[in-house]
Amino acid sequence: MTGGSNGTRQAAMELHLSTIVLVIVVDIAIVIIGVGAGYVIGRSRGAQALLKQQQEEGQSALLKASEDAKQLLQNAEAEKATILADADNEAQRRVSEAEAKISRRRRDLNDEDERIQRRRKDLDNRMERLEQRDQQLNKRQSRLDRKENELRKSEATMIEKLEVIAQMTVDEARQQLLDSIELDARNDMARIIRQVEAEARETADQRARSLIAMAIQRLASEQVNEVSVSVVHLPSDDMKGRIIGRNGRNIRSFELATGVDVVVDDSPESVTISSFDPVRREVAKRTMAKLVVDGRIHPARIEKLVEDTRTEVEQIVREEGERAAYETGIHGLHVEILKLLGQLKFRTSYGQNQHAHAIETAHIAGMIALELGADVNIAKAGGLLHDIGKAIDHNVEGTHALIGAEFVKRYGGNDAVVNCIAAHHHEVEKECVEAFIVEAADAISGARPGARRESLDSYIRRVKQLEEIANGFDGVEQSYALQAGREVRIIVRPEVVDDYASIQLARDIAREIENDMQYPGQIKVHVIRETRRVEYAK
């Protein structure tokens, strides 16, 4: 602080000295200029008087400058004294403030040192207590180790004595305990499954029956027994000769133009038309009927009527596809999808017309979706198009569900609708609730009374397969397929299958039937276990 005050004083002195020197220099310059001017003037005419006057003025100016310099020097000394006094006061003030700060800092350091000393003392005390506790813990651990060793020896001795008494090893006893626990767990599991199934049946069955009954009651569709008949009746057997023509030219022209096979010798007063393509068979049937009514049968006439009939059937196909979409309220379908949908008019499955089945399935799916809060439009579209692959499955390899799903996807179908089509026969995983609804609606439409007919051979195969699946499980003594394959009754051996195992057996058989068989509706699996004892009194 003293060095700063001395610097301030030195600067002030240098400033005032510079000011005085500057004033003196200015005055001397004025005098020199005056003398020079007088000298120049003195050389001219009348210069003496002027020179004298200039000298007098120079002397006056010099005296005045000397007096001004003295006055400035006095003022500078006074100002210097004032500045030095102020600088000294400022220095003293700053020194006082610095001394006060140092004093406060010294007190703070003293307080901090006291706190550190107290903290160090507390830490020393704590370390001492921790060392004492560690010693106590070591002693306690030693005692525990000794006791543990003693307990292990006692346990080993006890196990040896128990093995001698029980006549089995520890592993054998453990396995026996696990077997007992497993048996108890299985019994509890079967009991819980039975309770859950009973509770689910009390609620789910009532709800499901209500939904299905409501949907069927609201859908006032008639029973469908229509079959695509490929028999054309003739007014007389003489017409067969005209159909065949000379050397068979008429029938050959007819078969070439329509792509079907014509059989004229099987039944009287009728001809049979055979083709795997239902649309092609319908064209041939209608053409044959027109030829019989017209009576003019020759190759040119046949080709003309086949072309006209094909156009007529195509128009019917378009109209039926549009009618199905309009009736179910599904809009925006591609024209190719509508075309295939209309072709289902001429396709049957187990005697059920697939066009009517598709419309019926769409209505049932829409009603169930509405009750469950699902997307009605997706459910309806999935139900309407779920069997559309049947219109082209004879031309493409694969199942009708996957073929139909691929076709609808190709022409801009919704992903959820595509999944409903592909998953309704469990060939892919269901990704939305509407897929489950479409599957249920398809089963309802196909399983209701009068909806379908089944050939004797396929019926026998299905019933036989049902009994073979049931007989393939352990503990099954006999099995019988009842109610046209809608129920399988299974009698088990009571010494092999207990009550809880019978519950699991029924579930396993039902799951096996679902995985291996295709059937409409549902099949009831009925497992019967009974114990009989016979004794004779002698």
Side-chain angles (χ1 to χ4, degrees):
M1 296 301 294
T2 306
S5 300
N6 292 333
T8 304
R9 295 170 184 173
Q10 186 67 28
M13 292 174 66
E14 291 177 356
L15 178 62
H16 286 83
L17 289 175
S18 299
T19 305
I20 294 171
V21 170
L22 179 62
V23 172
I24 294 171
V25 169
V26 170
D27 291 338
I28 292 172
I30 294 172
V31 171
I32 292 172
I33 292 171
V35 173
Y39 177 76
V40 173
I41 296 172
R43 293 180 65 179
S44 63
R45 286 178 297 186
Q48 293 296 325
L50 183 60
L51 178 62
K52 186 179 180 178
Q53 182 179 354
Q54 292 294 331
Q55 288 177 352
E56 291 177 357
E57 291 178 355
Q59 290 177 358
S60 299
L62 183 62
L63 291 174
K64 185 178 179 181
S66 177
E67 292 176 359
D68 291 339
K70 291 179 181 179
Q71 185 64 34
L72 290 173
L73 183 61
Q74 292 176 359
N75 293 336
E77 290 294 335
E79 187 174 357
K80 173 183 174 182
T82 303
I83 291 173
L84 291 175
D86 293 340
D88 187 59
N89 293 334
E90 179 67 19
Q92 290 179 359
R93 183 181 64 79
R94 291 185 179 182
V95 168
S96 300
E97 290 179 354
E99 291 177 351
K101 289 182 180 180
I102 292 172
S103 178
R104 288 196 299 272
R105 182 60 180 169
R106 186 179 293 109
R107 289 196 300 271
D108 293 340
L109 290 174
N110 292 332
D111 295 339
E112 184 67 22
D113 185 61
E114 291 178 359
R115 286 195 297 271
I116 291 173
Q117 293 296 331
R118 289 196 300 270
R119 181 66 175 172
R120 182 177 298 172
K121 186 176 180 180
D122 293 340
L123 290 175
D124 293 338
N125 295 333
R126 182 175 296 180
M127 287 296 298
E128 185 178 356
R129 290 195 299 271
L130 288 175
E131 290 177 357
Q132 295 175 359
R133 183 177 297 178
D134 187 45
Q135 294 176 0
Q136 295 175 357
L137 289 175
N138 290 332
K139 294 179 181 179
R140 184 176 180 181
Q141 184 66 35
S142 301
R143 292 195 299 270
L144 291 176
D145 292 340
R146 289 194 299 271
K147 289 183 179 180
E148 184 178 2
N149 293 330
E150 294 174 358
L151 288 175
R152 287 180 179 176
K153 294 179 180 179
S154 301
E155 183 181 3
T157 304
M158 185 68 67
I159 290 174
E160 293 177 357
K161 292 181 180 179
L162 289 174
E163 288 179 353
V164 173
I165 296 173
Q167 296 181 354
M168 65 174 64
T169 63
V170 175
D171 294 336
E172 292 175 350
R174 183 182 293 109
Q175 186 61 40
Q176 184 177 357
L177 179 61
L178 290 176
D179 293 341
S180 177
I181 293 174
E182 181 181 2
L183 179 61
D184 293 341
R186 287 185 177 275
N187 292 336
D188 292 340
M189 179 180 67
R191 178 177 53 79
I192 293 171
I193 289 173
R194 185 170 59 183
Q195 292 176 354
V196 172
E197 287 181 346
E199 293 175 359
R201 280 194 294 269
E202 290 178 0
T203 57
D205 285 354
Q206 183 178 0
R207 175 66 173 163
R209 285 173 183 157
S210 175
L211 286 174
I212 294 172
M214 179 275 303
I216 294 176
Q217 289 173 1
R218 288 178 59 187
L219 181 65
S221 63
E222 58 188 29
Q223 296 182 355
V224 180
N225 290 321
E226 180 185 352
V227 181
S228 294
V229 179
S230 57
V231 176
V232 179
H233 296 282
L234 304 177
S236 65
D237 286 338
D238 296 337
M239 184 63 68
K240 290 183 178 181
R242 300 176 62 183
I243 292 173
I244 296 172
R246 181 179 299 177
N247 297 325
R249 64 170 188 170
N250 291 342
I251 194 170
R252 285 197 302 271
S253 298
F254 186 87
E255 289 178 344
L256 289 174
T258 59
V260 301
D261 293 330
V262 181
V263 181
V264 297
D265 296 331
D266 283 354
S267 57
E269 298 183 355
S270 64
V271 293
T272 302
I273 299 174
S274 175
S275 175
F276 64 89
D277 190 333
V279 177
R280 193 184 303 170
R281 187 171 61 244
E282 182 68 19
V283 171
K285 175 186 174 183
R286 290 172 177 264
T287 303
M288 183 63 72
K290 292 179 181 179
L291 288 172
V292 171
V293 173
D294 189 15
R296 294 176 294 173
I297 304 176
H298 52 84
R301 184 63 177 170
I302 290 172
E303 293 177 0
K304 177 65 168 60
L305 288 179
V306 167
E307 188 65 28
D308 294 343
T309 306
R310 185 174 288 115
T311 303
E312 177 185 343
V313 171
E314 290 177 356
Q315 179 64 25
I316 293 174
V317 166
R318 288 193 297 270
E319 291 176 356
E320 289 298 329
E322 293 173 357
R323 182 179 68 84
Y326 176 78
E327 187 173 339
T328 56
I330 305 300
H331 306 291
L333 295 178
H334 195 275
V335 63
E336 293 296 328
I337 297 178
L338 293 176
K339 182 179 178 180
L340 278 188
L341 187 60
Q343 290 181 12
L344 292 178
K345 176 70 175 178
F346 308 109
R347 176 70 183 260
T348 59
S349 177
Y350 295 104
Q352 185 180 30
N353 182 271
Q354 291 301 288
H355 186 264
H357 167 64
I359 297 175
E360 185 177 69
T361 302
H363 286 308
I364 295 174
M367 295 173 190
I368 296 177
L370 182 62
E371 292 295 326
L372 295 179
D375 194 316
V376 177
N377 292 328
I378 292 177
K380 278 190 174 184
L384 181 65
L385 304 177
H386 76 284
D387 277 344
I388 196 171
K390 290 183 178 181
I392 53 176
D393 59 0
H394 55 278
N395 295 323
V396 181
E397 292 185 0
T399 61
H400 73 275
L402 297 180
I403 293 172
E406 180 64 26
F407 184 84
V408 173
K409 183 178 181 180
R410 186 188 313 161
Y411 288 100
N414 185 283
D415 291 339
V417 175
V418 172
N419 181 251
C420 292
I421 299 171
H424 79 279
H425 281 319
H426 304 277
E427 293 172 336
V428 300
E429 293 294 332
K430 297 177 177 63
E431 299 176 356
C432 57
V433 68
E434 290 80 12
F436 292 92
I437 294 174
V438 169
E439 180 186 355
D442 178 35
I444 293 171
S445 176
R448 64 181 179 81
R452 293 183 175 182
R453 295 198 303 270
E454 189 174 19
S455 65
L456 179 61
D457 292 339
S458 61
Y459 165 74
I460 293 174
R461 285 196 301 271
R462 182 163 62 86
V463 173
K464 185 178 179 180
Q465 183 184 5
L466 190 61
E467 293 183 352
E468 289 176 351
I469 290 175
N471 292 329
F473 285 83
D474 295 334
V476 176
E477 183 176 1
Q478 292 176 333
S479 63
Y480 304 100
L482 306 175
Q483 296 184 7
R486 298 302 175 88
E487 178 183 354
V488 56
R489 188 167 298 174
I490 303 164
I491 301 174
V492 299
R493 291 191 291 272
E495 66 275 10
V496 178
V497 181
D498 58 13
D499 289 339
Y500 294 110
S502 63
I503 299 174
Q504 188 65 33
L505 178 63
R507 294 173 61 86
D508 293 340
I509 293 175
R511 190 178 295 111
E512 186 74 17
I513 293 172
E514 291 176 355
N515 295 333
D516 294 349
M517 294 183 62
Q518 294 290 338
Y519 52 89
Q522 62 182 8
I523 297 176
K524 179 181 179 182
V525 179
H526 190 183
V527 177
I528 300 174
R529 177 184 182 272
E530 59 181 4
T531 304
R532 295 184 181 182
R533 292 290 182 267
V534 179
E535 295 291 342
Y536 295 96
K538 298 181 180 179

